[in-house]
Amino acid sequence: MTTITENNILPLVTDEQKQAEETWRKSIPAQVFLNYFFAINYHIQENDDATGGLQHLPFFRAHQAELTEADVQAISKLLQACWSTEYALRATAELGDEEYLRNALHWTFPQAYHTILSGLQAFLYTAGVRSNNPSLIRREVGRLVVRNAYPRPVSFYAAGAYGDFSIHRLPLAGYKPGLHIAGKEIEAQAQIGQFLRTTRKMKAQITRQQVQANPNTAIRSQKTGKVLDKWTASHWQQITWRLGYTTIFDLLGRLRISQTSREIERYVEAEIDFKLFHQSLLNIVSYLNGVHESYIAKAVGLERYQQLVQELPKHLQNSFIAERLRTRIEPLLTGQEPQQQMGIAA
């Protein structure tokens, strides 16, 4: 009879495997966040073709503005804030060290958001919207997205009441997203659709808290007059108008994470591809800033815009700004063939 020695039996799961599984589990929120922004970048790259550009949009062709020199200077100031922040974001990405990029999320997240916000404000200025109010800016850009002011790759949006959201201009958004980086357009749209829904859900919940915290706006019981704790679908519908539309700019707003919050630490401590994260952010930034710069150049006139670029501080001269002007804006406004696609991080 053979005797089995228990000491020789290896455990089914080692401590190293347990640690790896725990690290993976903790990394899921950061991986999902990376998936979302990679999916947006993927969708831009896949759909940035000859038929999806600004030159085909009636809104762009009709865009014009009566601007004084003081107006142009105000726009220039916003643009310089946009470009200086993008310059800093690019400088971080170009360092390329994985560990540095990991810890750089403390500032690259807000940098990506603020460079796009400043460019957006400069564009809105030419459209007659001159405000620093975040709610007003969000509402106005939502309307512009719905009115097809933006190229096809970034014209998607969500609407509807809590529990009844609808996704527009993403025909594949109804598919179930996976936990992996998108490798097909169907996967990218599924992840963007989920990002839109979760972001709109958060906005609806925050709006409900604000409404119910104000005695003048709170929805109350018709029987008791007390502020309602539980809502039905009809109650959610009553605040839908406050939500506006949920667009790519709301998704980018998710980058506004305080460096003192626990959430940013979850991303820093995660095991994800930080280089890919930064490259995805940079491509999205470059694309959207290029769209806004094109509108601004059309509004102020190409020659005046070229002058603004030539007068930039030394560190911004002969940089990505001049490159976008040469490869995107000048061909667009002069009718020449563009030398490269807008999705490339120029």
Side-chain angles (χ1 to χ4, degrees):
M1 182 175 181
T2 304
T3 303
I4 299 175
T5 306
E6 293 186 1
N7 291 338
N8 292 334
I9 299 176
L10 297 175
L12 293 176
V13 181
T14 65
D15 289 340
E16 290 80 4
Q17 289 173 319
K18 288 181 180 179
Q19 181 62 42
E21 183 177 344
E22 179 67 12
T23 300
W24 176 82
R25 186 183 63 80
K26 289 182 178 180
S27 297
I28 289 178
Q31 183 63 51
V32 170
F33 213 52
L34 165 58
N35 292 351
Y36 287 158
F37 285 98
F38 180 86
I40 294 172
N41 178 47
Y42 185 97
H43 182 65
I44 289 173
Q45 303 289 346
E46 286 293 300
N47 293 275
D48 180 33
D49 55 29
T51 62
L54 278 173
Q55 68 272 23
H56 300 291
L57 299 181
F59 191 96
F60 178 77
R61 293 199 297 266
H63 186 64
Q64 56 185 345
E66 293 185 7
L67 302 169
T68 65
E69 182 57 28
D71 290 330
V72 174
Q73 290 302 317
I75 292 168
S76 176
K77 186 176 180 180
L78 287 167
L79 280 175
Q80 290 200 37
C82 165
W83 290 333
S84 293
T85 310
E86 183 178 347
Y87 175 87
L89 182 66
R90 286 172 174 270
T92 298
E94 288 171 1
L95 288 174
D97 179 81
E98 182 82 14
E99 193 62 26
Y100 179 76
L101 293 177
R102 174 193 297 269
N103 291 285
L105 292 181
H106 285 288
W107 61 86
T108 53
F109 273 9
Q111 280 175 345
Y113 170 75
H114 285 291
T115 179
I116 290 173
L117 177 63
S118 297
L120 170 60
Q121 285 181 281
F123 162 45
L124 290 177
Y125 196 107
T126 68
V129 180
R130 301 167 187 183
S131 173
N132 292 320
N133 185 296
S135 297
L136 176 62
I137 292 171
R138 180 182 169 277
R139 184 176 70 243
E140 291 302 321
V141 75
R143 290 174 178 172
L144 288 172
V145 169
V146 173
R147 291 173 62 191
N148 281 308
Y150 283 87
R152 184 175 58 194
V154 290
S155 67
F156 52 80
Y157 66 96
Y162 183 93
D164 190 28
F165 298 150
S166 56
I167 307 297
H168 301 261
R169 300 175 187 157
L170 281 177
L172 305 176
Y175 287 89
K176 184 178 180 180
L179 274 177
H180 52 271
I181 293 291
K184 298 179 181 179
E185 178 65 7
I186 185 174
E187 296 164 354
Q189 289 196 31
Q191 291 178 0
I192 297 171
Q194 184 183 52
F195 200 10
L196 285 167
R197 283 186 286 269
T198 57
T199 301
R200 189 166 181 81
K201 180 179 179 181
M202 289 173 59
K203 175 62 177 176
Q205 291 170 337
I206 292 171
T207 301
R208 170 184 164 166
Q209 291 174 356
Q210 294 171 340
V211 167
Q212 295 303 85
N214 185 338
N216 297 320
T217 60
I219 298 176
R220 301 172 181 274
S221 168
Q222 293 183 348
K223 293 182 179 179
T224 66
K226 293 183 178 180
V227 175
L228 286 174
D229 291 327
K230 296 182 179 180
W231 277 21
T232 64
S234 64
H235 295 133
W236 285 109
Q237 289 171 359
Q238 290 180 48
I239 67 163
T240 300
W241 66 273
R242 297 177 181 269
L243 303 182
Y245 299 102
T246 302
T247 71
I248 187 173
F249 297 98
D250 296 284
L251 306 186
L252 291 163
R254 296 281 296 273
L255 293 169
R256 290 178 299 170
I257 301 173
S258 169
Q259 61 181 344
T260 61
S261 73
R262 291 182 180 179
E263 190 166 5
I264 192 67
E265 292 301 330
R266 288 200 306 172
Y267 299 125
V268 171
E269 294 171 1
E271 292 300 326
I272 60 173
D273 189 336
F274 290 97
K275 288 186 178 181
L276 184 61
F277 207 149
H278 279 79
Q279 191 58 51
S280 298
L281 282 180
L282 192 54
N283 286 345
I284 296 167
V285 164
S286 179
Y287 184 84
L288 284 172
N289 283 354
V291 169
H292 294 146
E293 290 159 20
S294 298
Y295 268 107
I296 294 163
K298 190 172 188 301
V300 304
L302 181 56
E303 186 175 341
R304 186 70 179 93
Y305 184 84
Q306 290 168 329
Q307 184 181 357
L308 292 178
V309 173
Q310 291 168 1
E311 295 172 350
L312 285 172
K314 187 175 181 180
H315 70 284
L316 294 177
Q317 290 184 3
N318 301 315
S319 66
F320 60 92
I321 304 164
E323 180 70 6
R324 279 205 295 257
L325 171 60
R326 182 179 65 84
T327 61
R328 306 184 190 187
I329 299 169
E330 289 176 349
L332 178 66
L333 298 183
T334 61
Q336 301 173 7
E337 286 295 320
Q339 298 178 36
Q340 69 182 66
Q341 291 183 324
M342 291 194 69
I344 298 173

